[in-house]
Amino acid sequence: MTALARAPDRFELVKWYLDAVEADGTATIAYWASLAWLGVNVTWHDVSRYVPGQPPIETSSMRRVPPPAVVDRHVDWQSDRLGLHCVHEATTPAITVTLLDDAHGRITWECVAPSARARFDRAGEVAEGTGYAERITMTVPPWRLPIDELRWGRWMSDDASTSLVWIDWRGALPRRWVVCNGVLHEAAAVRDDGIDLDAGRLALGAPR
């Protein structure tokens, strides 16, 4: 086996998450993921639409489609299988953070659009609003993560000019990352009812 060959038991998961929230609270969420492990290489993608007061509508596929592409401050992704084309124009700076790097593997979090003007076009049904996009690459299997509880969330202003994103691990290796407008704030605190920063506090309302 050459040095460039992939070990057959090497684990690698790449997961994209993209969303958009319209003015009335309707949310559209899309995923693209690929998994390589034990000689298996599969992809999966999905789109869900959540209209307030109605059951969510979800469609997924395992047919291979390219992942989202990042060009300058734009994220562009298309799935003919889902009849979906979405574009995110970032309005705050991107940030990349290594969440874990140990003997078991590495987790790299790329918050490519902490806040964005987003557009989802699904077979002519268009959703526009504020949006978010991230890519996570993991070479450590999930069952080896030192996490008992995980809190993740994102918030942005109505005009997408201000953003706040947080990841909070609790367990054997407690860690916390809070990013405000593309800048990491190490002294921030994550609570169930809000996020505390030196500059102020984000209070969270009723979850949905």
Side-chain angles (χ1 to χ4, degrees):
M1 185 175 67
T2 68
L4 296 178
R6 175 188 291 274
D9 61 344
R10 175 178 168 80
F11 179 96
E12 183 176 74
L13 173 67
V14 179
K15 180 179 72 71
W16 275 90
Y17 170 94
L18 311 101
D19 70 24
V21 178
E22 300 170 62
D24 66 353
T26 298
T28 304
I29 298 174
Y31 292 93
W32 181 96
S34 70
L35 173 64
W37 187 46
L38 297 177
V40 177
N41 195 324
V42 297
T43 64
W44 171 83
H45 56 291
D46 175 278
V47 62
S48 302
R49 183 171 173 81
Y50 302 84
V51 177
Q54 299 181 23
I57 300 173
E58 182 176 15
T59 307
S60 63
S61 172
M62 294 186 69
R63 180 172 294 182
R64 292 186 180 276
V65 298
V70 182
V71 179
D72 295 328
R73 295 171 67 91
H74 288 74
V75 183
D76 191 294
W77 183 54
Q78 184 167 342
S79 167
D80 293 337
R81 182 66 172 176
L82 302 182
L84 177 67
H85 183 205
C86 56
V87 177
H88 286 62
E89 180 185 355
T91 54
T92 51
I95 185 171
T96 298
V97 179
T98 299
L99 304 182
L100 183 70
D101 190 0
D102 64 14
H104 297 303
R106 172 180 293 191
I107 303 176
T108 303
W109 173 49
E110 299 169 86
C111 191
V112 295
S115 62
R117 287 182 286 271
R119 185 178 192 273
F120 280 74
D121 185 340
R122 187 176 180 195
E125 183 180 24
V126 176
E128 293 183 306
T130 58
Y132 172 89
E134 70 173 20
R135 174 172 52 197
I136 291 181
T137 303
M138 298 175 53
T139 61
V140 53
W143 55 89
R144 292 190 178 274
L145 292 177
I147 302 173
D148 294 327
E149 297 181 18
L150 167 65
R151 288 165 174 79
W152 171 91
R154 65 83 165 166
W155 171 88
M156 67 192 65
S157 58
D158 290 339
D159 63 358
S161 64
T162 304
S163 70
L164 191 66
V165 189
W166 58 93
I167 298 175
D168 185 57
W169 290 0
R170 302 185 185 183
L173 187 65
R175 292 184 176 180
R176 180 182 304 115
W177 300 266
V178 177
V179 177
C180 183
N181 292 335
V183 178
L184 188 64
H185 289 251
E186 296 184 355
V190 177
R191 310 184 193 284
D192 289 343
D193 61 351
I195 313 300
D196 294 320
L197 296 164
D198 291 340
R201 187 173 195 273
L202 172 68
L204 300 176
R208 181 166 65 91

